[in-house]
Each structure stands twice: as C-alpha cells, then as structure tokens.
Amino acid sequence: VERALQESAERAARQLADARHRATFDNAPIGIIHTDVDTDGILHANPKVVELLGYTQDELLRMTMDHLVHSDYRGTDREKYRERMLRGELKLFSSERVFVRKGGSAIWVNRTISLVRDATGSPLFFIRMIEDITERKTQELRISRLNRILSVLSGINSAIVRIRDRKQLFDEACRIAVEHGGFGIAWIGIFDPERLEITPAASAGLEENDSLRSGKLILRGNTPQSQGLIARAIKERRPVFSNDITVEPEVGGERRAEAIRRGYRSVITLPLLVEGSVAGSLSLFTKEPDFFNDEEVKLLTELAGDISFGLEHITGQEKIEKLSRIRAVSSGINAAIVRIRDRE
C-alpha cells in the first residue's frame, strides 16, 4: 500500500511537472522550437512561433530551419555552435537573423540555441528560442542610413569648399556617395533644356565602359526614358524616388532593366539647380528595398542643394573669369586702336 501510494504521488508529481512544462512552452512570450540534432527538422513549435511566422503547427512540423531562415543567412553560423555544442564546449549560442514569414515578408529575430541531452549525456534535440526584434532593427537601420547620408553631406560640403572645377566636384560627389554613403551607384548627368537630353558627367560604382554609365538619356517624346525618375525629377523640380523599381520595370527603359538585373531595388533622383534652372541630376542606387523615407529624402534634398550651391559658385567664378578675359581682350583692342591712331 505504501509503495502504491508513493508511486501514485510520483506519477502525480511528474504529471504536474509535465503540465507546468507544457504551460510554460505554450504560453511563453517568445517563440520556442525543438529541432532534430542531425537534420534541423522541426520537432515541436509553440503557439508563439505560429503567431510570429504565420505557419500552422502541421506546416512547421514538415519543415526544417532552412525553410524559415532567409536565404542570405542559411548555414552561415551553424559551424560556430553545432560541433562545439555536441562536444560540450558551448552551452548557449545567440545571434540575430532574418526569418521569412509565410507569404514572404521578413522578420528580424534574436535567436538563442541550446542543446538538450538525456540522462546518459547523449544529445536529444536543440532548443531554439526566437524573439521578434524587427522594430529595434528597423530603428537601427534607419539610424545607420541617416548617419551614412550625414557622412555624405559632410564630405561633399568639404569638397565644395576646396574644389573650383565642375567636373572635379561631380566626380568627388559621386565618390563620396558610394564610399561614405554606401550607395551602390552614384550618377550625375548634365541637362540640356533645348534638346531635352541628359549627358553623363560623372559616376561611381561603375566600370569605365558600363552601360549604366555611358550614353545620353533622351527625355523628349513618349519613350520609356521620358517616363523615368530622371525625367520626372527634372520636370517637377523635386526629388523623385522608387523604393521598389521591380514594380514598374518598363519605366526608364533599358537602364532600369539593367539595374534590376544587378539587384538594385531603391533609386532616387535629385535635380541640381543653378540660378533657378535645372542644370542636371544626381541619381543614387541601392540594393536595399524601401530605403528612402521622409527623413532620408529631406537630407538628400539638402545634399542636392549643397551641390547646386557649389555649382552656382563655380558658374559665378566662370562668369567672372569670362568677363575678365573679355575685358582684357577689350582693353587690348582699345590699346591697339590708340597706338594705331597715334601712328597716324
């Protein structure tokens, strides 16, 4: 009787412990996934995982972790923890990763991995705890982007102070945008208002004979280029951007198609004004989708204004130099006339 009572008490204790573990698993505020040691197949997933990623329990149990992790991150750190955990050298491993929800949208997670062993020490399964950090990462990315643009602003303002040549200013602005701002391509073109053409003037991030670098853009007529961002920015005299150029691949013609082929997703074009008229445009390409928002556009508008100021200063200097040459020529002619008269 005593043994039966003891066994009954032990069963009750185990059932209570199991119930507590199940309640903790089911009601945890973070996602918990158990995966197979050898295949990374999903063995269990709590309701929070279903909420975070949108898959049903049945769908998750037919998947491996590679189905959930974004393709850019698959297997990139597995060797850092897997073998070390199996050898008992590492208890916990944490990293930040991008997971893919059902439907294709992305979610940033903080992932913590540990290994569960049985009483003999043999590995049973991995526990992966995932916490949604999308909001924090979004803020970090925004701050990083703003800092990159501020770095470009600072660099170009320094260039404007020391540079007195238009071509050199364009080259330096493009270089700074790529090297300091992290843009994949920076491109500047000169606008001819009579012919409605843009002639390439400077670029960075492209090879010498690159198709995206060379060749005039024809903005007249009803061509794809006349409907693109550059044409709109010049016509509307304001920054024009697209945070996903794959939505309208035909707009902008072959240039946009080539940019898409190379993986670029966000583009902005900024008009450059001299004495109130559009003198050219600056285009910036990035492979990051949804790059431009109000804060970035505000800073980039200021950037275009600074380059425009530099252009106006150079144009003013050129006019002064031109007038000085004309005056020198005129003075020389007048002097020659006086000498001729004196001889007569």
Side-chain angles (χ1 to χ4, degrees):
V1 171
E2 289 178 354
R3 185 169 62 250
L5 289 173
Q6 183 179 357
E7 290 175 351
S8 177
E10 290 174 352
R11 283 196 301 271
R14 285 196 298 270
Q15 289 172 354
L16 179 59
D18 289 343
R20 287 173 175 169
H21 291 155
R22 172 55 60 182
T24 301
F25 185 80
D26 289 343
N27 296 285
I30 61 174
I32 302 175
I33 302 173
H34 296 171
T35 61
D36 185 89
V37 172
D38 298 316
T39 66
D40 274 348
I42 297 174
L43 304 174
H44 302 285
N46 72 343
K48 189 63 177 180
V49 175
V50 174
E51 178 188 330
L52 288 175
L53 302 179
Y55 296 101
T56 67
Q57 287 280 356
D58 288 341
E59 288 173 328
L60 288 167
L61 296 181
R62 294 194 296 268
M63 302 168 74
T64 68
M65 289 306 299
D66 277 350
H67 291 105
L68 301 182
V69 179
H70 191 280
S71 58
D72 290 346
Y73 294 89
R74 289 175 189 164
T76 55
D77 59 7
R78 188 173 298 165
E79 65 281 359
K80 295 179 182 178
Y81 68 85
R82 184 183 183 86
E83 294 303 323
R84 294 180 62 195
M85 282 188 171
L86 291 173
R87 291 194 300 266
E89 300 171 357
L90 183 67
K91 299 297 184 183
L92 288 175
F93 179 81
S94 294
S95 63
E96 295 179 350
R97 283 292 175 265
V98 177
F99 278 27
V100 180
R101 292 188 178 100
K102 186 176 181 177
S105 61
I107 174 175
W108 273 96
V109 302
N110 183 62
R111 178 189 63 172
T112 302
I113 304 173
S114 60
L115 177 64
V116 177
R117 299 176 182 272
D118 62 17
T120 67
S122 299
L124 291 176
F125 55 86
F126 285 110
I127 297 179
R128 302 169 187 268
M129 293 181 286
I130 60 172
E131 180 184 6
D132 183 2
I133 58 169
T134 303
E135 185 175 350
R136 174 171 67 81
K137 291 298 292 186
T138 300
Q139 287 297 107
E140 289 178 358
L141 289 171
R142 286 182 61 193
I143 292 171
S144 174
R145 290 171 179 175
L146 290 173
N147 285 336
R148 284 158 53 185
I149 295 173
L150 287 171
S151 177
V152 174
L153 266 170
S154 176
I156 287 180
N157 283 332
S158 297
I160 289 171
V161 171
R162 70 176 189 274
I163 292 175
R164 295 292 179 267
D165 176 78
R166 182 182 286 101
K167 180 64 168 64
Q168 187 180 353
L169 176 62
F170 287 162
D171 288 338
E172 187 69 356
C174 290
R175 184 192 67 80
I176 291 171
V178 170
E179 294 184 6
H180 295 192
F183 291 100
I185 299 173
W187 185 92
I188 292 177
I190 300 297
F191 178 56
D192 183 341
E194 294 183 0
R195 299 179 60 83
L196 294 179
E197 294 179 352
I198 290 278
T199 301
S203 65
L206 297 171
E207 298 296 329
E208 186 69 28
N209 298 319
D210 199 297
S211 61
L212 290 179
R213 177 178 180 175
S214 58
K216 290 185 178 181
L217 303 183
I218 310 301
L219 307 185
R220 57 184 179 272
N222 192 29
T223 63
Q225 291 180 351
S226 68
Q227 309 299 318
L229 298 185
I230 293 177
R232 286 182 54 200
I234 290 174
K235 181 179 179 181
E236 300 172 18
R237 298 164 59 87
R238 66 175 182 85
V240 178
F241 65 90
S242 171
N243 276 326
D244 188 358
I245 58 176
T246 63
V247 173
E248 296 179 302
E250 71 283 353
V251 175
E254 294 180 0
R255 289 171 56 83
R256 175 170 292 196
E258 180 60 19
I260 292 172
R261 189 188 69 79
R262 299 186 189 191
Y264 290 100
R265 292 297 176 263
S266 299
V267 180
I268 190 169
T269 294
L270 306 147
L272 304 177
L273 306 177
V274 174
E275 297 179 349
S277 299
V278 178
S281 67
L282 166 64
S283 295
L284 301 171
F285 295 71
T286 175
K287 294 185 177 181
E288 301 164 75
D290 300 317
F291 185 92
F292 302 106
N293 60 28
D294 291 342
E295 291 176 289
E296 279 87 16
V297 172
K298 182 178 179 180
L299 286 175
L300 289 170
T301 300
E302 182 179 342
L303 169 66
D306 291 345
I307 296 175
S308 296
F309 173 80
L311 284 177
E312 286 188 344
H313 181 71
I314 291 172
T315 300
Q317 288 295 114
E318 290 174 345
K319 286 183 177 180
I320 292 173
E321 293 172 1
K322 183 178 180 180
L323 287 173
S324 296
R325 289 195 298 270
I326 291 173
R327 286 173 181 168
V329 172
S330 177
S331 176
I333 291 173
N334 289 334
I337 291 173
V338 170
R339 289 196 300 271
I340 291 172
R341 286 177 177 172
D342 290 344
R343 289 173 186 173
E344 293 177 348

